[in-house]
Amino acid sequence: MVDDLTLVFSALADPTRRAILARLAEGDATVNQLAEPFAMTQQAVSKHLKVLEHARLISRTRTAQSRPCVLEPVRLDAAADWIARHRQVWADRHDRLAAHLATLRAKPRGGRAAR
Amino acid sequence: MVDDLTLVFSALADPTRRAILARLAEGDATVNQLAEPFAMTQQAVSKHLKVLEHARLISRTRTAQSRPCVLEPVRLDAAADWIARHRQVWADRHDRLAAHLATLRAKPRGGRAAR
């Protein structure tokens, strides 16, 4: 079974799908409305929407005739959180390293070593 | 040609590669050191490292014998920025919608409608 984060990052790994998400961030849209700016067939757009839906980055109303696509930001948050968490671990490590180097500079080992 | 963001998101779309990045956030490591916790062959880890290197999420020293792998956070930042930007557009839209609804509630259309 593929985990959620892998589904989300896979879905984001395509410029057309990212453009569709960018469009949906600005407002809900139907498949027809999404197909227009991309000069793509409805079928091609539908394939991309299925990937986005599977990753739960978007949802589609089942009841309305037009079935507009809606961005679901929760999964985007999960992806951003993963990146931010590891970015932070990296930054903390570099802060500790900088602090350690500052300590070394502040306390020279004296004598012949500190020319 | 595949664009940079697609390369980064593709590289992140694998649990082993994400675990490798998590490990490298804590400190540089050689292929041997990376292979250990994953119970993987060096060859399998090397394949994943190539994908991460191609996406420029990591770099490897060419000179040192041990060739440690180093996390390159710049590309992680680019991925996080993409998500944050569209998350913001979505949030702004919802704020505007909420403000609009508040205006509608504050100014009832008067008379018979506002019972």
Side-chain angles (χ1 to χ4, degrees):
Chain A
M1 218 189 73
V2 180
D3 65 287
D4 292 346
L5 266 179
T6 297
L7 284 177
V8 170
F9 284 128
S10 298
L12 292 174
D14 181 279
T16 305
R17 286 198 291 271
R18 288 199 301 278
I20 289 174
L21 290 176
R23 167 65 186 80
L24 291 177
E26 285 171 7
D28 307 346
T30 62
V31 177
N32 279 339
Q33 288 169 330
L34 288 172
E36 250 179 46
F38 298 112
M40 282 173 90
T41 62
Q42 239 183 274
Q43 212 180 7
V45 170
S46 286
K47 268 190 191 173
H48 283 305
L49 292 179
K50 261 183 201 149
V51 177
L52 292 171
E53 220 177 344
H54 186 51
R56 283 190 275 158
L57 282 164
I58 68 165
S59 64
R60 301 177 71 181
T61 319
R62 296 282 161 199
T63 47
Q65 273 281 355
S66 59
R67 299 188 64 212
C69 301
V70 180
L71 181 70
E72 294 291 345
V74 180
R75 291 306 188 98
L76 276 184
D77 291 347
D81 283 351
W82 187 91
I83 295 174
R85 209 160 53 238
H86 296 93
R87 189 71 181 80
Q88 192 56 46
V89 171
W90 187 92
D92 289 349
R93 178 163 68 96
H94 277 248
D95 286 351
R96 279 198 305 275
L97 188 67
H100 179 63
L101 290 174
T103 314
L104 290 183
R105 271 195 297 274
K107 294 187 213 165
R109 277 189 287 164
R112 276 149 53 189
R115 280 191 288 184
Chain B
M1 217 190 73
V2 181
D3 65 287
D4 291 346
L5 265 179
T6 297
L7 284 177
V8 170
F9 284 128
S10 297
L12 292 174
D14 180 279
T16 305
R17 286 198 292 271
R18 288 198 300 277
I20 289 174
L21 291 176
R23 167 65 186 78
L24 292 177
E26 286 171 7
D28 307 346
T30 62
V31 178
N32 279 339
Q33 287 169 330
L34 288 172
E36 251 180 46
F38 298 113
M40 280 173 93
T41 62
Q42 241 184 274
Q43 210 180 9
V45 170
S46 285
K47 268 192 193 172
H48 283 305
L49 292 179
K50 262 184 201 147
V51 176
L52 293 170
E53 221 178 343
H54 186 53
R56 283 192 273 159
L57 282 164
I58 68 167
S59 66
R60 300 177 72 181
T61 318
R62 296 281 161 202
T63 48
Q65 272 282 356
S66 59
R67 298 188 67 210
C69 301
V70 180
L71 182 69
E72 294 291 344
V74 179
R75 292 306 189 97
L76 276 184
D77 291 348
D81 284 352
W82 187 92
I83 295 175
R85 209 160 54 239
H86 296 94
R87 189 69 181 81
Q88 194 54 48
V89 171
W90 187 92
D92 289 349
R93 178 163 68 97
H94 277 248
D95 286 351
R96 280 198 305 276
L97 189 66
H100 180 64
L101 290 174
T103 314
L104 290 182
R105 271 196 298 272
K107 295 187 211 163
R109 276 188 289 166
R112 277 149 54 189
R115 281 191 288 181

